[in-house]
């Protein structure tokens, strides 16, 4: 005997709840009954195991009520479990994604359906669990993408210079590398702190198109202007590079490529703020590296300026592709109307970050000069190699904290939990990395030669120790940026620069290892100052979350 219409109508209620729970679940934890054409077929398939309601046995009213109650209880449990799993996603280092769980074991029919799904392969495999966790945790995923970008840049950069060393003379390589270094330095100075500004305010900006447009125009203009000023000063700063100044075509090329390099640095912050750091790996790691290798092969034998153009062409290609991705994938539309008006309220934040960034950049530029002046060219070579290796870890620190800044700026972020997650993630990543580099320092330096291993290993071990206080400093600086403690940020960055450079100067008579010890000591002093500032800061959400409403969705999920 089949169901009566009223009976099946009451039975279809838990079916509808179940379908709603499935629709709300982003993980697809519970599949909806498919192929059902109406409520009668859905309830028949769920409770009788058949698609034809006419073949179902007669169910008493008491049985209907008992099954309905059990089904509703089970579905409420499933919906609660799915909601909790989704809400926990931003509160753990890697959010927990578990297999579907039945809250009420007495619901035999629902449990059997889950079991059948697992048998057909629709359950969660370990690989799918890991993918789901990384997809849900923007902090970890984007940090890993930025580390991948740094690794690709290092690998392709090393390959580029190995190939170019065989195609160009030693003098050409030396002059070209100096021009590339100057371009990188000018590009960093041209940002005016806008990289941190975009990572901080872009996620909640009401007019993202105008903000990005103003930042790109300002950065490109400053890159070109500072590049021109550098060329005019080359007779004083770098006489051996003055040949560029005397040829208008070379001047124009240097200015244009420097402007592209600055814009490329800025676009990375747009991707980070939009939770799309994978594009950084694509542009900086892939496009830039491949382009400059291809350009180097094409321009082989064209001298120092040709080698410089080959290397800088990678910056230009990465910048162009980045702007295209922002326009296509992130739906950016350049907007000149009120663009600088959108940037004006953020100039104080940008200025403070610019001062802090300049302070943190000074030791990287000054300490090698101290080593060269006080200890000689050989010691400078050992220090340079050791520092370049340690920089791989320092770059990872910067990547994690940039993602922390962007994630903490999103209006939907759990501020207290994201602080804990970022701190735990940094400790879990950098403490083992520091220990590994210390243990393998001898063999790493041995790859560059016996003398590098003998004289440079202690320096590399000391520089590896510095990654922990550097990570602590950067984490504290990010908290200060998010909470608006800009004065404390600048003071801590000033301590960072003065302590490292001052200690390097005073410790130089005691040898190279003593000079490199200025890094962990100076970074520790800066970390203490920054940590004290964080400790006295009220543990509250960033200001934008209390005063501004969330901006409309802009980035692609």
């Amino acid at each position: 005997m089949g169901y009566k219409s009223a009976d099946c109508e009451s039975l279809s209620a838990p079916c509808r709840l179940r379908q709603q729970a499935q629709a709300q679940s982003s993980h697809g934890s519970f599949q909806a009954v498919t192929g059902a054409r109406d409520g009668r077929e859905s309830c028949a398939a769920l409770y009788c195991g058949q698609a034809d309601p006419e073949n179902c046995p007669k169910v008493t009213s008491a049985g209907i009520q008992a099954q309905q109650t059990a089904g509703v209880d089970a579905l409420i449990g499933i919906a609660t479990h799915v909601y909790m799993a989704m809400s926990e996603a931003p509160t753990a280092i890697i959010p927990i994604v578990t297999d579907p769980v039945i809250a009420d074991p007495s619901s035999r029919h629902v449990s059997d359906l889950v079991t059948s799904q697992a048998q057909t392969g629709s359950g969660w495999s370990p690989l799918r669990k890991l993918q789901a966790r990384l997809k849900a945790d923007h902090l970890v995923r984007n940090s890993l993408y930025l580390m991948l970008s740094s690794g690709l840049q290092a690998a392709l950069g090393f390959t580029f210079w190995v190939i170019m060393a065989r195609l160009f003379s030693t003098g050409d390589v030396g002059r070209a590398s100096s021009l590339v270094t100057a371009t990188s330095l000018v590009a960093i100075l041209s940002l005016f702190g806008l990289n941190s500004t975009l990572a901080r305010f872009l996620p909640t900006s009401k007019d993202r198109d105008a903000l990005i447009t103003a930042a790109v125009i300002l950065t490109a203009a400053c890159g070109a202007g500072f590049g021109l000023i550098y060329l005019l000063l080359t007779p004083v700063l770098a006489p051996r590079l003055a040949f560029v100044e005397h040829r208008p075509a070379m001047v124009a090329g240097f200015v244009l490529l420097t402007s592209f390099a600055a814009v490329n640095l800025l676009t990375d912050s747009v991707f980070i703020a939009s939770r799309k750091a994978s594009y950084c790996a694509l542009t900086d790691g892939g496009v830039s590296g491949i382009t400059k290798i291809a350009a180097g092969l094409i321009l082989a034998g064209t001298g120092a300026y040709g080698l410089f153009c080959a290397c800088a062409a990678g910056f230009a290609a990465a910048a162009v592709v980045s702007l295209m991705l922002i326009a296509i994938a992130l739906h950016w539309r350049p907007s000149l109307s009120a663009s600088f008006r959108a940037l004006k309220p953020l100039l104080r934040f940008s200025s403070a970050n610019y001062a802090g960034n300049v302070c943190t950049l000074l030791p990287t530029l000054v300490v090698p000069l101290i080593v060269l002046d006080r200890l000689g060219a050989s010691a400078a070579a050992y220090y340079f190699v050791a520092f370049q290796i340690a920089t791989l870890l320092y770059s990872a620190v910067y990547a994690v904290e940039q993602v922390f800044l962007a994630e903490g700026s999103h209006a939907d972020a759990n501020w207290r939990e994201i602080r804990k997650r970022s701190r735990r993630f940094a400790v879990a990543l950098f403490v083992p990395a520091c220990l590994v580099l210390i243990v393998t320092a001898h063999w790493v330096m041995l790859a560059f030669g016996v003398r590098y291993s003998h004289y440079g290993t202690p320096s590399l071990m000391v520089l590896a120790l510095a990654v922990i206080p550097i990570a602590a400093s950067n984490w504290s600086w990010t908290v200060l940026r998010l909470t608006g403690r800009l004065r404390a940020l600048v003071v801590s960055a000033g301590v960072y620069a003065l302590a490292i450079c001052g200690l390097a100067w005073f410790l130089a008579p005691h040898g190279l290892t003593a000079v490199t010890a200025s890094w962990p000591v100076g970074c520790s002093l800066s970390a203490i100052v920054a940590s004290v500032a964080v400790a006295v800061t009220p543990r509250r959400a960033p200001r934008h979350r209390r005063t501004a409403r969330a901006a409309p969705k802009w980035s692609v999920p």
Side-chain angles (χ1 to χ4, degrees), residues 273-300:
S274 306
R275 293 173 170 171
K276 290 293 180 182
S278 57
Y279 292 149
C280 296
L282 173 64
T283 56
D284 296 335
V287 173
S288 178
I290 294 174
T291 299
K292 64 185 180 183
I293 291 175
L297 295 175
I298 295 173
L299 297 174

Side-chain angles (χ1 to χ4, degrees), residues 164-414:
M164 296 306 108
R166 288 167 169 76
L167 299 178
F168 292 84
S169 67
T170 303
D172 289 340
V173 171
R175 287 188 292 272
S177 62
S178 298
L179 286 172
V180 172
T181 300
T183 296
S184 300
L185 177 60
V186 170
I188 293 173
L189 294 177
S190 301
L191 289 175
F192 274 112
L194 291 173
N195 54 334
S196 298
T197 300
L198 290 183
R200 172 65 179 84
F201 292 103
L202 189 60
T204 54
S205 175
K206 297 178 183 179
D207 195 351
R208 294 185 169 101
D209 290 343
L211 181 58
I212 295 176
T213 302
V216 169
I217 293 175
L218 183 60
T219 301
C222 290
F226 287 175
L228 181 60
I229 293 173
Y230 175 81
L231 287 181
L232 295 177
L233 295 177
T234 48
V236 177
L237 299 177
R240 294 185 179 182
L241 302 179
F243 69 94
V244 177
E245 180 191 8
H246 302 297
R247 299 183 181 181
M250 289 186 176
V251 171
F254 182 87
V255 169
L256 182 63
L257 292 173
T258 302
S259 179
F260 273 120
V263 171
N264 184 51
L265 291 178
L266 183 73
T267 56
D268 290 345
S269 298
V270 177
F271 293 138
I272 295 171
S274 306
R275 293 173 170 171
K276 290 293 180 182
S278 57
Y279 292 149
C280 296
L282 173 64
T283 56
D284 296 335
V287 173
S288 178
I290 294 174
T291 299
K292 64 185 180 183
I293 291 175
L297 295 175
I298 295 173
L299 297 174
T302 56
Y305 190 80
L307 180 54
F308 159 74
C309 289
C311 187
F315 302 149
V320 171
V321 173
S322 296
L323 292 175
M324 292 175 60
L325 286 173
I326 295 173
I328 297 172
L330 302 182
H331 311 298
W332 168 55
R333 298 296 178 265
S335 174
L336 295 177
S337 60
S339 58
F340 288 95
R341 188 183 305 170
L343 185 61
K344 186 177 180 180
L346 310 179
L347 291 180
R348 177 177 176 270
F349 183 88
S350 297
S351 300
N353 279 276
Y354 186 66
N357 292 340
V358 170
C359 289
T360 57
L361 183 63
L362 283 177
T364 304
L365 302 175
V366 173
V367 174
L369 297 178
I370 294 175
V371 173
L372 179 63
D373 180 66
R374 305 291 297 275
L375 300 178
S378 297
Y382 305 143
Y383 173 83
F384 175 80
V385 171
F387 188 78
Q388 292 303 308
I389 296 171
T391 299
L392 295 176
L393 285 182
Y394 302 164
S395 299
V397 172
Y398 176 77
V400 172
E401 300 314 322
Q402 279 292 99
V403 175
F404 172 30
L405 176 62
E407 289 301 309
S409 300
H410 280 272
D412 59 348
N414 187 324

Side-chain angles (χ1 to χ4, degrees), residues 34-74:
T34 57
R37 297 181 181 177
D38 54 27
R40 296 174 68 245
E41 289 184 353
S42 296
C43 73
L46 179 62
Y47 288 92
C48 307
Q50 302 180 21
D52 185 5
E54 300 301 326
N55 294 327
C56 294
K58 181 180 179 70
V59 181
T60 65
S61 298
I64 292 174
Q65 185 176 3
Q67 289 179 339
Q68 181 176 356
T69 302
V72 171
D73 290 342

